[in-house]
Amino acid sequence: SATIPLFMSNKDVAAEAVTGSGKTLAFVIPILEILLRREEKLKKMQVGAIVITPTRELAVQINEVLSYFTKQFPQFSQILLIGGRNPIEDIEKFKEQGGNIIIATPGRLEDMFRRKADGLDLASCVKSLDVLVLDEADRLLDMGFEASLNTILDFLPKQRRTGLFSATQTQEVENLVRAGLRNPVRISVKEKGVAASSTQKTPTRLENYYMICKSDEKFNQLVHFLRQHKQEKHLIFFSTCACVEYYGKALECLVKNVKIMCIHGKMKHKRNKIFTEFRQLPSGILVCTDVMARGIDIPEVNWVLQYDPPSSASAFVHRCGRTARIGHLGSALVFLLPMEESYVNFLSINQKVKCPMQEMKPLKNVVDVLPKLKSMALSDRAMFEKGMKAFVSCVQAYAKHECNLIFRIKDLDFASLARGFALLRMPKMPELKGKCFPDFAPISIDTDSIPFKDKNREKQRQKLLEQKRKERLENEGKRKFIRNKAWSKQKAKKEKKKQITMKRRREEGSNIEDEEMEELLNDTRLLKRLKKGKISEEEFEKKLMSRDKNSYTCEDTTTSDCCSKTEC
Ligand SMILES: Nc1ncnc2c1ncn2[C@@H]1O[C@H](COP(=O)(O)OP(=O)(O)OP(=O)(O)O)[C@@H](O)[C@H]1O
């Protein structure tokens, strides 16, 4: 209600309101009102409004909300442009149905601008653009989308209405100017009952907890918690896709009679189906990465569990904001290592985050499920490899933390972390190079012998191993031959060179060498005779002189007289 009148009255807006407070309608309604007000009606291929949002799931969600309205206004066509679909189909659909309102993710929209040759001149279609909306604007304006967004903005007419929306709005003026806002109105909506001066970013009815526990206790605490809350709906955030894959699989085996689904950015086509299906579930668990952190409006999420703290402070607010939406109750819990406890203080004072947190003590004597996880890895190579990949990705993600003063990779207890992943052995990776882990007991078996449960995969693996064995033997043979060949070649070359040198010496220089030698011997003999008094100094001098005259020849006797010794 604070934004709609402003955005409609030709004002650029930068709106900030807590998660789940209804920001989508705050731009959908003005878009329709502005397009309805146009004097010159939009033709089919003319784009009147564009909404850009960081993820496909968010674009799908906004597209759905918009479609409830455009059903009442059939004169407006809308089109969803997101990755994971065939761009040519998008072009055909655009040409067939038109695109007065585009809902898009940056990558696909940029791609469509570059497809003039494929029959869509989007650049000319946007000349009549009235409204541009950047949803989750601070995310769109950060490094990750910089190139795509700049390309898109360059194609858009400067004369337009621009609106930025987020729960953690960018405060940097240069970002606002970059997005094309002209003296924008900043709208910061406070929760009812919260003092206007408060900068709290999370919904008032969100109960925010943190639990301090060691890496090798976290998973046991998580499993215990989930077993106690089976009838509810939870989102569990991990830092990487590989962790989602591994722990999602583990939870499926360890938490019975609960629908457990996984979603992350590296999934190609399943994402939309999983997202749509989970939204409709009355209870269940969605194991996810930050692809689900922002904007996703899943009704009735009871708990947001952050197994790994998010890589940025604003991501913390958005993750928590998947629950306690539009006035509903909801809870969030973040797991922190003892050395990460200062993150709580950081969150409560950081302007972007500002949220009150309560401690939840780890429960004592929870069941240790890690041995079960190990036996899963021992019986199926797929699980073993998932675990190793997840651990490596987790360590690498940790090193890239935005709050690296709190999340210090050099102080990370890798042995405890590896135990928490139920690893059978430590993986080889640069971060572990040169380190030893006395507190981590690898299993005694050779992990190369662990087979895939899937017969085909195991057959493939065996074939590959056989091929590698053969290649290794061949390479060894080749290396020997090459070494010998090279050696013998080198040796031959040396021999040849030596013979040539010897030959050259024989031809050119051996008499000089012999002669010089002879001279030296004579001098030595003379000197000895002088020392023994057998000859006098005069005789010694005379003999030296007479020797030089007889034995010395020019190098090149074909030319004129003998040259002096120095010249030669
Ligand atoms: N005026 C309203 N009355 C009741 N429900 C509303 C109202 N406006 C929006 N909602 C509902 O509130 C929920 C959250 O809205 P929306 O997703 O737009 O929040 P948001 O502020 O964009 O959240 P986020 O910051 O997470 O993106 C949606 O289910 C929406 O249908």
Side-chain angles (χ1 to χ4, degrees), residues 465-522:
L465 284 175
E466 187 47 35
Q467 199 182 333
K468 279 194 178 143
R469 246 193 303 276
K470 277 198 192 118
E471 275 169 17
R472 205 172 31 248
L473 290 176
E474 275 167 23
N475 284 345
E476 264 157 31
K478 255 194 225 152
R479 257 203 301 279
K480 272 203 194 90
F481 173 69
I482 289 171
R483 203 174 31 250
N484 294 340
K485 191 160 167 293
W487 185 77
S488 54
K489 209 169 146 205
Q490 292 294 341
K491 191 169 176 301
K493 242 168 89 180
K494 270 193 191 127
E495 280 300 318
K496 198 154 183 298
K497 207 170 153 206
K498 200 171 166 189
Q499 280 155 18
I500 291 168
T501 315
M502 296 295 283
K503 187 162 170 285
R504 193 177 62 239
R505 282 198 172 152
R506 265 200 300 286
E507 282 154 16
E508 296 166 10
S510 58
N511 57 347
I512 289 181
E513 191 177 76
D514 294 351
E515 191 171 333
E516 275 176 358
M517 194 54 78
E518 194 53 34
E519 212 171 77
L520 270 173
L521 283 173
N522 288 339

Side-chain angles (χ1 to χ4, degrees), residues 352-372:
K352 273 195 217 163
V353 185
K354 206 141 194 69
C355 62
M357 311 265 299
Q358 308 163 57
E359 183 169 11
M360 181 190 287
K361 293 285 187 194
L363 294 169
K364 300 238 182 305
N365 316 318
V366 294
V367 172
D368 180 5
V369 297
L370 297 173
K372 168 85 175 124

Side-chain angles (χ1 to χ4, degrees), residues 35 38 42 46-51 100 102 124-133 155-157 159-161:
L35 297 187
R38 280 175 64 97
L42 282 171
Q46 284 184 311
V47 180
I50 296 177
V51 179
N100 299 144
I102 295 178
S124 61
C125 295
V126 299
K127 290 212 180 322
S128 46
L129 185 78
D130 281 326
V131 193
L132 169 68
V133 167
F155 281 105
L156 304 182
Q159 268 310 97
R160 66 170 188 259
R161 189 80 42 262

Side-chain angles (χ1 to χ4, degrees), residues 279-505:
R279 287 185 76 182
Q280 277 130 28
L281 286 179
S283 68
I285 297 169
L286 182 63
V287 182
C288 58
T289 57
D290 277 343
V291 75
M292 299 302 280
R294 282 176 176 256
I296 300 302
D297 184 53
I298 299 175
E300 309 309 318
V301 169
N302 299 88
W303 281 87
V304 166
L305 302 163
Q306 303 191 53
Y307 190 79
D308 297 322
S311 56
S312 71
S314 50
F316 183 87
V317 169
H318 287 279
R319 284 181 169 188
C320 298
R322 295 318 100 209
T323 185
R325 296 175 70 77
I326 204 80
H328 292 147
L329 274 171
S331 308
L333 166 64
V334 61
F335 289 92
L336 294 172
L337 302 180
M339 74 171 196
E340 298 166 344
E341 185 159 7
S342 54
Y343 192 53
V344 177
N345 197 28
F346 169 79
L347 290 173
S348 63
I349 54 174
N350 180 294
Q351 280 313 310
K352 273 195 217 163
V353 185
K354 206 141 194 69
C355 62
M357 311 265 299
Q358 308 163 57
E359 183 169 11
M360 181 190 287
K361 293 285 187 194
L363 294 169
K364 300 238 182 305
N365 316 318
V366 294
V367 172
D368 180 5
V369 297
L370 297 173
K372 168 85 175 124
L373 219 41
K374 275 190 176 178
S375 62
M376 286 165 67
L378 277 167
S379 58
D380 182 5
R381 184 167 201 83
M383 201 57 189
F384 164 70
E385 290 185 354
K386 280 183 191 288
M388 297 291 268
K389 215 171 135 200
F391 176 86
V392 169
S393 70
C394 175
V395 169
Q396 288 168 343
Y398 203 92
K400 293 180 201 132
H401 229 287
E402 186 186 80
C403 321
N404 51 26
L405 289 176
I406 298 171
F407 302 96
R408 299 181 306 279
I409 182 89
K410 63 179 179 31
D411 298 342
L412 199 55
D413 178 347
F414 289 108
S416 174
L417 186 68
R419 290 197 299 272
F421 275 82
L423 295 191
L424 303 180
R425 63 169 172 79
M426 285 306 241
K428 293 183 179 57
M429 62 187 294
E431 290 80 354
L432 305 187
K433 201 157 182 224
K435 291 187 166 71
C436 54
F437 307 102
D439 306 344
F440 177 78
I443 54 152
S444 51
I445 72 149
D446 166 19
T447 52
D448 287 347
S449 64
I450 301 174
F452 281 108
K453 210 171 235 173
D454 177 307
K455 296 267 175 292
N456 289 336
R457 284 189 77 178
E458 182 53 21
K459 213 160 78 182
Q460 282 297 327
R461 186 176 84 94
Q462 290 303 340
K463 215 158 55 173
L464 211 60
L465 284 175
E466 187 47 35
Q467 199 182 333
K468 279 194 178 143
R469 246 193 303 276
K470 277 198 192 118
E471 275 169 17
R472 205 172 31 248
L473 290 176
E474 275 167 23
N475 284 345
E476 264 157 31
K478 255 194 225 152
R479 257 203 301 279
K480 272 203 194 90
F481 173 69
I482 289 171
R483 203 174 31 250
N484 294 340
K485 191 160 167 293
W487 185 77
S488 54
K489 209 169 146 205
Q490 292 294 341
K491 191 169 176 301
K493 242 168 89 180
K494 270 193 191 127
E495 280 300 318
K496 198 154 183 298
K497 207 170 153 206
K498 200 171 166 189
Q499 280 155 18
I500 291 168
T501 315
M502 296 295 283
K503 187 162 170 285
R504 193 177 62 239
R505 282 198 172 152

Side-chain angles (χ1 to χ4, degrees), residues 17-27 58 61 65 135-136 166-167 279 293-299 318 321-322 325-326:
V18 295
T19 50
S21 53
K23 290 187 288 295
T24 308
L25 290 181
F27 57 77
L58 254 182
Q61 179 179 291
V65 173
D135 185 33
E136 307 300 344
S166 176
R279 287 185 76 182
R294 282 176 176 256
I296 300 302
D297 184 53
I298 299 175
H318 287 279
R322 295 318 100 209
R325 296 175 70 77
I326 204 80

